[in-house]
Each structure stands twice: as C-alpha cells, then as structure tokens.
Amino acid sequence: MATKLIKPLRLLLLGAPGAGKGTQTSRLLEKFPQLNSVSSGDLLRQQIKDKTPLGSLAASYILEGKLLPDELITRLVKGHLSDAGWLSPQASWLLDGFPRTVEQATMLKSALAKSDTSLTMVVDLDVPESVILERIENRYVHVPSGRVYNLQYKPPKVPGKDDITGEPLTKRPDDTAEVFGKRLAEYHKTAAPLREFYAKRGILKTISGETSDIITPKLFQLIESQYGVN
Ligand code: ATP
Ligand code: MG
C-alpha cells in the first residue's frame, strides 16, 4: 500500500556495488509516490548512450571500474538536482550511488545547505559479498530507466525485454568478473570514511540482509516510523 510522507525525505542509499540500491530505489518509489530518485551511474550511462563528451570520458572510467573525478560527478548530479527542481525544501528525493567519497559528500553538503535541503537520512545497505558476486552474473538492465532484472530472482516477463517499455535489456559492460572485482576494491577504499562522515552527523542507519526481499520491509519500516502516515 502506498504511504504518504508527512515531511520531506532526502535520503542517500549507500552500499557496495550490487548491494541492491537500484532495486530498493524502485520499491521505494512505488511505496512512497512523493519520492523521486536519481542514480549517478544511470546519469552516466545515459550520457554514454547520448554520445556526449562527458559520456565518452565516463565510459573509459566505468570500463576500468574506476571512480570519476569528484568535481565532475558532483557537477553532474548537482545539475540534475537543480534542473529537476529538487533544491526546494518541500521536495522528497533519494540519491543512489552519489556521494561515494568524502570529497563528494563535502561538496554536496555545501550545495544543499544553500537551499536548506540537507540530507535527512542515510541508509547503508549491508549485504554479504558472496551474495553480491553471485547476483552480478545474473543481472540485466534497462538503460533508459535504470530498471534492474535478475535472471534468477526477478526475470523479465518477456525474456530479454523491459517489462514496461518492451525495449531490449542489456548486460552492463562493467558487470564482468574482472571489472566488478575492481569496482568492489574501489568501494572498499572509500566506504568506511563516507559512513563515518554521516555517522558523525547522526543520520546514518544500517540495514543488513542477504536478499533484497529481507531488506525492503526493514527499509519501509524505518522510513514509515519517521516520515509516514497511511
Ligand atoms: P550498482 O549499480 O550495482 O549498485 P555501482 O554502484 O558500482 O553498482 P553505478 O552506481 O551504476 O554502479 O556506477 C557505475 C560506475 O559509474 C562506477 O563504477 C563509476 O565508474 C561511475 N560512478 C558512478 N557514481 C559515481 C560517483 N559518485 N563517483 C565517481 N564515479 C561514479
Ligand atoms: Mg546502481
């Protein structure tokens, strides 16, 4: 059942690549219709698809499993927040995949402070690495929407096609074992200081679980307990 937010929610989802940020995001948008979302990875994949200069730069970083320069990704996401009209204190939104470093978090913090739209909650999705590795092999995505499918747990209704648009699904080129290993290593370099940054501000929560289905109800409950009325 859809739930109304009684005050603005500005949420950041943290977690390893493959932890299920995209999956939880889709479910949150359904549950809380006032919520909007943006994924930094999806913004970059759209730039690649549109063949922009930023897209061709991004493609080289992504295929190496490396993080883009902090300034660049921050400018891209800030631009989106502003264009989408989310820098207004009434708007509710969630960020997936950005900030990923303390430098990005610091730049975002000062940008949001200006419009009185600081993050209100940060949730770290804590999923065992063995589960994550298995998941990636079976993952397919619909690039324009960011919708994620899993051949085992969440197959598309028609094989190889997006449920909503019927457009083709693709395998992310950075979901190979080799690149994925690099992405995990990059994640481990930056994750602890980032968690610490938000823990210090008292807005960090951690939700642990082996599957997205275990995490979803915990996430819903956490948000409903502070932001929701039915
Ligand atoms: P998943 O989508 O499985 O959770 P992920 O979080 O690693 O995995 P994306 O968020 O889609 O994947 O990011 C894909 C790639 O885009 C990253 O490996 C990185 O190269 C680049 N990227 C995305 N967000 C950022 C960011 N905040 N800072 C720097 N680079 C980024
Ligand atoms: Mg993602």
Side-chain angles (χ1 to χ4, degrees):
M1 191 180 45
T3 299
K4 196 169 174 258
L5 298 170
I6 53 172
K7 59 183 177 187
L9 169 61
R10 292 181 293 273
L11 173 68
L12 165 62
L13 289 182
L14 297 179
K21 299 182 293 286
T23 299
Q24 299 302 339
T25 296
S26 304
R27 294 176 180 178
L28 285 168
L29 296 189
E30 248 178 65
K31 174 76 176 168
F32 303 98
Q34 290 151 287
L35 203 54
N36 303 285
S37 76
V38 62
S39 146
S40 52
D42 289 350
L43 287 181
L44 293 172
R45 282 183 285 276
Q46 192 58 49
Q47 296 275 330
I48 294 171
K49 207 165 166 259
D50 294 345
K51 301 199 177 349
T52 67
L54 173 58
S56 68
L57 183 70
S60 60
Y61 280 90
I62 292 177
L63 285 173
E64 299 256 307
K66 291 196 178 131
L67 293 181
L68 268 86
D70 290 324
E71 299 267 348
L72 225 149
I73 189 81
T74 302
R75 204 176 324 132
L76 181 71
V77 178
K78 269 170 54 182
H80 181 89
L81 290 173
S82 156
D83 294 346
W86 299 351
L87 295 177
S88 120
Q90 290 81 36
S92 287
W93 39 260
L94 81 82
L95 304 179
D96 159 3
F98 173 92
R100 277 249 220 311
T101 65
V102 167
E103 289 72 23
Q104 293 174 17
T106 306
M107 288 190 264
L108 178 70
K109 185 176 184 230
S110 63
L112 294 179
K114 281 183 200 139
S115 49
D116 202 14
T117 54
S118 299
L119 293 175
T120 61
M121 187 187 268
V122 178
V123 178
D124 183 36
L125 305 180
D126 171 35
V127 178
E129 207 149 298
S130 54
V131 176
I132 287 179
L133 290 171
E134 190 192 283
R135 227 179 241 180
I136 291 308
E137 285 177 33
N138 288 307
R139 176 157 81 170
Y140 280 77
V141 294
H142 177 241
V143 169
S145 68
R147 277 186 284 279
V148 184
Y149 296 86
N150 183 293
L151 294 190
Q152 232 175 326
Y153 306 107
K154 195 206 171 209
K157 289 178 189 141
V158 179
K161 307 276 190 214
D162 177 46
D163 286 354
I164 313 250
T165 62
E167 290 167 352
L169 301 178
T170 53
K171 189 95 193 122
R172 275 173 51 171
D174 59 342
D175 274 353
T176 61
E178 193 203 345
V179 181
F180 196 75
K182 291 186 187 160
R183 288 162 59 198
L184 269 182
E186 285 277 292
Y187 169 75
H188 287 303
K189 269 193 245 164
T190 57
L194 190 59
R195 277 196 296 266
E196 180 63 13
F197 180 93
Y198 291 115
K200 271 197 201 132
R201 285 169 59 190
I203 55 174
L204 179 70
K205 308 273 180 194
T206 300
I207 300 183
S208 306
E210 296 232 339
T211 69
S212 295
D213 288 350
I214 291 174
I215 289 182
T216 301
K218 296 187 191 176
L219 186 55
F220 282 5
Q221 200 177 29
L222 174 67
I223 295 173
E224 282 185 308
S225 68
Q226 295 181 38
Y227 294 86
V229 289
N230 279 319

